[in-house]
């Protein structure tokens, strides 16, 4: 799996040093790292990355302002702020980010940030393979809204509103996915909690307003699992 990283810093040597440190870390992904200076912002904004390391104090643009622009263009992008000025950690809290790295303590702070980053991307980029009519198909787990079984046929419903049907069981699919975002709400249905809008007395309502039914006796457990998932995001 590939992880695209952008490093934005007006000091070339600082960007090179962070690049070397990232390459030495045990990501478990193929890293594609591209440095930018503060005169290359237009280029940066036209090239989406998975993860951005932004220097806050740059002559041509403030890293906080840049983060806000990136959030508008790429809402799923993750941001880590970098600065030689420790007091800018307070400014960095104006934008949702995964961490703040002090340049005078870069290695230690980077390790702390990676404790959040690596598990996130392992879930974000997780893929499974399924066999459909003798053809092996790869699916991104994050694209699965829910799956349900009817007899010996399992149907997977995807975020693009398409579906895939194969011979399998709920247990086999659960064992392959093993993702905390997925909750079994009945004997024959498992839903991705990322796509749940609300829970009623007997249904889970998805973001597209589709309803999935469950036994009212399981409602308390489902609600508890959903609330715990939302709290941990």
């Amino acid at each position: 799996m590939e992880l695209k990283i952008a490093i934005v810093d007006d000091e070339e040597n600082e960007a090179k040093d962070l690049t070397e440190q990232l390459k030495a870390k045990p990501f478990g992904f193929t890293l594609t790292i591209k440095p930018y200076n503060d005169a290359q912002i237009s280029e940066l904004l036209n090239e989406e990355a998975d993860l951005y390391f932004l220097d806050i104090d740059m002559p041509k643009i403030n890293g906080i302002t840049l983060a806000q622009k990136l959030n508008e263009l790429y809402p799923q992008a993750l941001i880590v702020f970098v600065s030689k000025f420790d007091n800018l950690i307070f400014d960095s809290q104006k934008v949702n980010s995964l961490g703040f790295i002090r340049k005078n303590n870069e290695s230690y702070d980077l390790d702390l940030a990676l404790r959040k980053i690596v598990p996130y991307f392992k879930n974000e980029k997780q893929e499974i393979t399924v066999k459909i009519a003798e053809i092996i198909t790869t699916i991104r787990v994050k694209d699965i809204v829910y799956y349900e079984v009817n007899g010996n046929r399992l149907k997977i419903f995807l975020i693009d509103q398409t579906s895939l049907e194969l011979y399998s069981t709920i247990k086999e699919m659960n064992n392959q996915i093993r993702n905390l975002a997925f909750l079994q709400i009945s004997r024959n249905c498992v839903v991705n909690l990322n796509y749940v809008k609300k829970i009623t007395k007997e249904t889970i309502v998805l973001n597209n307003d589709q309803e999935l039914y469950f036994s009212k006796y399981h409602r308390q457990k489902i609600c508890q699992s959903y609330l715990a998932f939302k709290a941990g995001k």
Side-chain angles (χ1 to χ4, degrees):
M1 292 184 288
E2 182 186 18
L3 187 64
K4 295 181 180 179
I5 299 175
I7 299 175
V8 186
D9 200 311
D10 60 301
E11 298 183 46
E12 184 179 350
N13 289 337
E14 298 280 3
K16 284 183 178 179
D17 183 56
L18 181 55
T19 297
E20 293 306 312
Q21 289 199 59
L22 287 168
K23 288 179 178 179
K25 300 297 182 182
F27 269 91
F29 303 106
T30 299
L31 300 184
T32 300
I33 304 174
K34 186 171 181 178
Y36 301 82
N37 60 46
D38 57 338
Q40 298 173 301
I41 300 305
S42 294
E43 181 183 349
L44 169 76
L45 295 177
N46 286 316
E47 298 178 353
E48 183 178 6
D50 298 305
L51 177 62
Y52 296 84
F53 288 87
L54 306 180
D55 185 15
I56 294 179
D57 188 43
M58 296 182 288
K60 291 185 169 62
I61 189 170
N62 181 286
I64 307 297
T65 301
L66 178 56
Q68 291 168 338
K69 290 178 180 291
L70 289 167
N71 279 337
E72 290 175 7
L73 288 170
Y74 310 115
Q76 301 301 317
L78 297 185
I79 292 168
V80 177
F81 290 110
V82 183
S83 182
K84 64 175 65 172
F85 303 107
D86 294 2
N87 62 303
L88 290 181
I89 189 171
F90 301 107
D91 289 339
S92 74
Q93 293 171 0
K94 296 176 183 177
V95 180
N96 188 31
S97 70
L98 276 184
F100 179 91
I101 293 176
R102 299 164 292 174
K103 289 186 177 181
N104 61 359
N105 206 18
E106 194 165 76
S107 181
Y108 177 79
D109 287 353
L110 180 58
D111 284 339
L112 290 180
L114 292 183
R115 291 178 190 176
K116 298 179 184 178
I117 293 167
V118 173
Y120 174 86
F121 279 112
K122 282 185 176 178
N123 282 333
E124 186 74 5
K125 292 184 172 290
Q126 181 187 1
E127 296 177 338
I128 61 169
T129 56
V130 295
K131 189 175 182 181
I132 303 172
E134 303 304 317
I135 298 174
I136 302 298
T137 301
T138 300
I139 308 169
R140 289 198 307 176
V141 170
K142 65 173 289 187
D143 292 339
I144 299 174
V145 180
Y146 71 98
Y147 51 91
E148 62 183 9
V149 70
N150 185 6
N152 62 352
R153 303 285 291 179
L154 185 135
K155 197 168 186 178
I156 302 172
F157 297 84
L158 302 173
I159 188 61
D160 64 0
Q161 299 185 338
T162 62
S163 62
L164 301 170
E165 195 167 342
L166 61 146
Y167 289 103
S168 188
T169 65
I170 288 284
K171 183 177 180 180
E172 289 172 346
M173 187 57 61
N174 287 347
N175 286 339
Q176 192 171 176
I177 290 179
R178 293 186 178 277
N179 189 303
L180 295 176
F182 286 78
L183 176 66
Q184 186 162 348
I185 63 170
S186 67
R187 292 172 62 184
N188 65 342
C189 184
V190 175
V191 64
N192 185 341
L193 295 176
N194 286 299
Y195 300 113
V196 173
K197 180 190 291 186
K198 63 181 179 179
I199 299 175
T200 67
K201 283 187 176 181
E202 294 183 351
T203 67
I204 277 184
V205 182
L206 302 177
N207 290 340
N208 63 358
D209 292 323
Q210 180 181 354
E211 293 185 297
L212 302 175
Y213 286 84
F214 56 80
S215 169
K216 63 181 179 181
Y217 299 107
H218 296 147
R219 186 177 187 277
Q220 183 177 0
K221 182 179 178 180
I222 290 171
C223 287
Q224 288 174 344
S225 297
Y226 179 62
L227 291 173
F229 171 76
K230 296 295 285 186
K233 286 191 72 175

